[in-house]
Amino acid sequence: MATDAQTTKTISLAKNGIKHSNIHYQLSSEALHDITIEKGMGVESSLGALAVNTGEFTGRSPMDRFIVKDEITADRIWWGDINIPFDSAQFDTLHDKVIAYLNEKELFVRDAYACAEDDYRLNIRVINEYPWSNMFVYNMFLRPSEDELAEFEPEWTVINAPGFMADAAVDGTRQHNFAILNFTRKIALVGGTGYTGEIKKGIFSALNFILPVYKNTLPMHCSANVGEDGDTAIFFGLSGTGKTTLSTDPNRKLIGDDEHGWTEKNTVFNFEGGCYAKVINLSKDKEPEIYGAIKKGAILENVIMDDNGVIDFEDTSITQNTRVSYPIYHIDNIQQPSIGKNVKNVFFLTADAFGVLPPISKLTPAQAAYHFISGYTAKVAGTEAGVVEPQPSFSACFGAPFMPLHPAKYAEMLSNKMTESGVDVWLVNTGWTGGPYGVGTRMKLKYTRAMISAVLNGDLGLYSYDKYHIHSVFGVAQPRECPGVPTEVLSPRTTWNNDEAYYKTAFKLSNAFRENFKKFEAHANEEIRRGGPQRYAF
């Protein structure tokens, strides 16, 4: 399997403004593991994985994510609460302050790249203040060979300084932490937060601009896997909806668990070289592949362990957003290289906190476009700062926090892909059944897996009245039967045992869909508008 590329190459960071030579370049995962422990910044768990605490921030901070507004971005970015503009001159000043801060620090530097497809490769140099952050970069990005390192020229630079605190009044930030993209200087500047997800999502956000604008390629917040016959399945979904869990399937090869591109040649490629999985309530029985990936080389974030290093995956006293990062080769059944062809099925995963959507339903092309633009789910506790319990939420393209362009641009590209490849699209509710959050229960993973398998095996077949029921509120086609799933589970109304309460809640959600979609109506044709819920409460 993959090993660390060793290099005798030395580098200078003078171009970045860093003058000292206290730089560790391209250290092995093992070395970074040991250094982290020696510095008292982490401990080794009983499973061999490094365990760290990310500090004040245990999730992303969306209100502190900025994009520099300049000639490249001014007329292209969908500016607003998600893509917050940052002044170019203020960026330069803040950047220089961060560099001055790092000039006095021991640094860990890694050259890596994103995008498994050679034609789309993005070379990245990451400058880290902490050793475990650099180990995270080793895990999550693609790892160059020794020969590739000899000629490596970075296109983008990530500067990561968790210990640097901005002065909001002077620096133009909202508070002391920040994650800023500068497309002209090709820099991702992250400071004031130790949460490693800011590093990976910074490059993801950059690619979500670069690929559609310059490469005619659809970037996707999704996981993907491939079957024995070469058929590729794509799983869209926000954090906590099951992207990693459902795509990690012993019967299919994993392409990747979070970030992909869909090219004009109808291939799907992974942006990353690793996985970043939630571990709340993780068990060896339910998710053996992910559990097995937690070993030497993996990094656990914000978990609770006893004195012997035994992890309590149910303990959420630090955060519900407990995580593990590991290189993709920690999973045995992977696609190499991380590229798939022949896309057959697309799944939209949603954690419906209202508990009214069917556990699985088949979508028409218009419904697929509507639900992709809407991106309904629930914010799952801990994945964002300030979220302590699930909240109903709409996130366009199932990834609005990372999408710099208008959602209609991505939706248009996806619709074209669906038409060209003739894929089937499915809406899967991995959220609540038998009632809303607080009353019902989370859908059993074994049932969701059975439904996904039935689709991939062709057991649910083509739409017909005998095999499917059209939901009276949402208009989607829910199967009447599915191998391995009790019939009553397939009907959300039946699981409630209270028709009046069910329909009252269903209408509440359909109204929320309608209200949310108003901001997209000007960009959607009549067919797409009709893809939404067909009944509303007035």
Side-chain angles (χ1 to χ4, degrees), residues 222 281 322 344 359 513:
C222 70
N281 298 324
T322 49
K344 289 294 186 184
F513 267 101

Side-chain angles (χ1 to χ4, degrees), residues 153-173:
E153 290 293 334
E155 184 175 351
W156 270 73
T157 302
V158 179
I159 301 170
N160 174 230
F164 177 90
M165 303 296 160
D167 181 343
V170 175
D171 297 323
T173 56

Side-chain angles (χ1 to χ4, degrees), residues 20-38:
H20 72 68
S21 59
N22 192 8
I23 297 166
H24 302 282
Y25 176 64
Q26 220 72 9
L27 291 186
S28 68
S29 173
E30 290 85 353
L32 292 165
H33 175 110
D34 293 343
I35 291 169
T36 300
I37 294 172
E38 289 167 9

Side-chain angles (χ1 to χ4, degrees), residues 36 110 248 278 394 401 419:
T36 300
R110 181 165 302 280
T248 307
K278 291 173 71 71
F394 293 92
T419 302

